[in-house]
Amino acid sequence: MKRMCTGRGLVIALIGLAGLTAAMILLITGRSGPEAEAQEAAQEAEPSPVAVESVADQIRRLAIEGEDPQGAVAAALQYLAEHPEVTVERQRVHYELAATQFRAGDEAAALVTFRQIVAQYGNAAFDQAAGDYKVDDALYFISLLEDGAGTPEGRAAAIAAKEALVAQFPTSNFRPRALIELGSMYIENDEDRKPALGMARLRTLAQQHPDSEFAPAAIRTINAWLLDPRAWSDEQPEAECLATVKANVGLLAAKYAGSIDTRQARQDLLWYYDTQSHQEEATALARNIIAIYSTADRE
């Protein structure tokens, strides 16, 4: 048995909204027909809410689109002075200040500001293990600026910044780049070569970031060091190094067939065979390289 409607529900059920008279509209809604229509029209005329541009975005736009880096720097400094509390927006403004200084070529000021970002926001909860916030970015740019100084102290500071990025920000977009650069710096630094550390960083890149654009280069760099006589020792004999290199070439061919690093790794192995008088292996690999890349080059 259907439940009986009473009061206003009964009026609506009996006649439907389409046929309501002005009196019935007044009874149900408390507003007359024209009054209701006027309110609806006013609501429709109200503009949709517009997203408010953040202060950081305003500063960035002023610096880039407005081509006024000095004005952007002044605006950022004023905001930072007026908002000392640690917030996401303050961090973003601070980063835009550093980025503007960097783009303008004021590297000394940019280095100071990037260091301030690390010091002031490094322990903030919103920046921990994040790939899209600003402390990891700041660490990477610190490493670039310090290494660019061309001094032993600068190189040491650059390595320290990269190591901090790698250790503290596992999801950072800059982590694969920092790892490949650390690997190369440790292996190629004639004054303080640390190949074991370099190999460890390169292996971390290849294993933890296999889809990174730098993964093939990491594997090739590992091979290049293993083919260097300086890498051979009683603990790591030449034959063992060669076996690892050949396995890595196979990995590159299987996973990164189109990479320039795969091609270079084959050529590095060919160079090894040739210089170490492994003529049979050299001939077979040379024919393999020609067969693979002559067709690819024609295409």
Side-chain angles (χ1 to χ4, degrees):
M1 186 175 184
K2 292 185 179 179
R3 186 175 178 179
M4 294 292 292
C5 296
T6 60
R8 295 181 183 180
L10 176 60
V11 175
I12 296 172
L14 289 176
I15 60 178
L17 288 173
L20 293 179
T21 65
M24 291 174 181
I25 293 175
L26 180 61
L27 172 65
I28 297 170
T29 67
R31 300 190 299 272
S32 65
E35 193 178 337
E37 292 173 2
Q39 183 167 343
E40 291 175 1
Q43 290 175 346
E44 292 176 358
E46 290 180 1
S48 300
V50 179
V52 178
E53 187 177 33
S54 70
V55 176
D57 289 339
Q58 292 176 27
I59 291 171
R60 180 178 178 82
R61 185 161 52 82
L62 178 62
I64 298 177
E65 297 179 16
E67 298 182 351
D68 185 9
Q70 292 182 340
V73 167
L77 289 172
Q78 180 179 351
Y79 180 90
L80 294 174
E82 295 175 353
H83 300 81
E85 65 280 4
V86 175
T87 64
V88 172
E89 184 62 15
R90 188 181 198 276
Q91 185 196 45
R92 292 185 66 222
V93 169
H94 217 153
Y95 183 81
E96 288 303 330
L97 171 61
T100 301
Q101 293 167 331
F102 183 82
R103 286 192 299 266
D106 192 350
E107 295 185 354
L111 180 58
V112 170
T113 307
F114 281 128
R115 288 200 174 282
Q116 289 174 349
I117 292 169
V118 174
Q120 294 183 26
Y121 312 103
N123 294 322
F126 53 78
D127 210 308
Q128 293 304 303
D132 57 348
Y133 288 105
K134 306 304 178 187
V135 174
D136 57 323
D137 297 41
L139 283 168
Y140 184 75
F141 281 102
I142 288 170
S143 75
L144 289 184
L145 292 167
E146 290 286 14
D147 195 33
T151 64
E153 296 79 12
R155 187 178 184 85
I159 288 175
K162 292 182 197 296
E163 288 286 11
L165 191 163
V166 167
Q168 298 172 22
F169 296 93
T171 62
S172 171
N173 294 331
F174 281 109
R175 191 171 191 261
R177 187 185 295 271
L179 283 166
I180 189 102
E181 291 173 356
L182 282 169
S184 297
M185 292 171 81
Y186 284 134
I187 291 173
E188 297 171 3
N189 186 2
D190 292 330
E191 298 176 357
D192 188 23
R193 182 177 290 109
K194 298 176 181 177
L197 274 177
M199 296 286 280
R201 299 300 176 268
L202 295 171
R203 290 192 180 103
T204 295
L205 169 54
Q207 294 167 4
Q208 296 185 8
H209 305 278
D211 296 326
S212 165
E213 62 179 303
F214 302 106
I219 298 172
R220 181 182 64 80
T221 305
I222 289 172
N223 278 7
W225 173 248
L226 292 177
L227 293 175
D228 190 319
R230 292 174 297 179
W232 308 336
S233 65
D234 292 339
E235 294 77 20
Q236 185 174 259
E238 177 184 358
E240 181 180 310
C241 291
L242 179 58
T244 301
V245 168
K246 292 168 69 174
N248 284 343
V249 170
L251 173 62
L252 286 166
K255 189 172 179 61
Y256 310 102
S259 171
I260 186 64
D261 291 294
T262 300
R263 184 171 186 166
Q264 185 61 52
R266 286 188 170 109
Q267 292 172 339
D268 291 343
L269 182 55
L270 177 61
W271 169 86
Y272 165 82
Y273 284 145
D274 188 50
T275 57
Q276 299 301 316
S277 300
H278 297 286
Q279 293 306 317
E280 184 176 343
E281 292 87 345
T283 300
L285 181 56
R287 287 173 177 168
N288 180 257
I289 291 173
I290 292 171
I292 294 172
Y293 294 108
S294 61
T295 302
D297 290 341
R298 285 196 301 270
E299 294 176 350

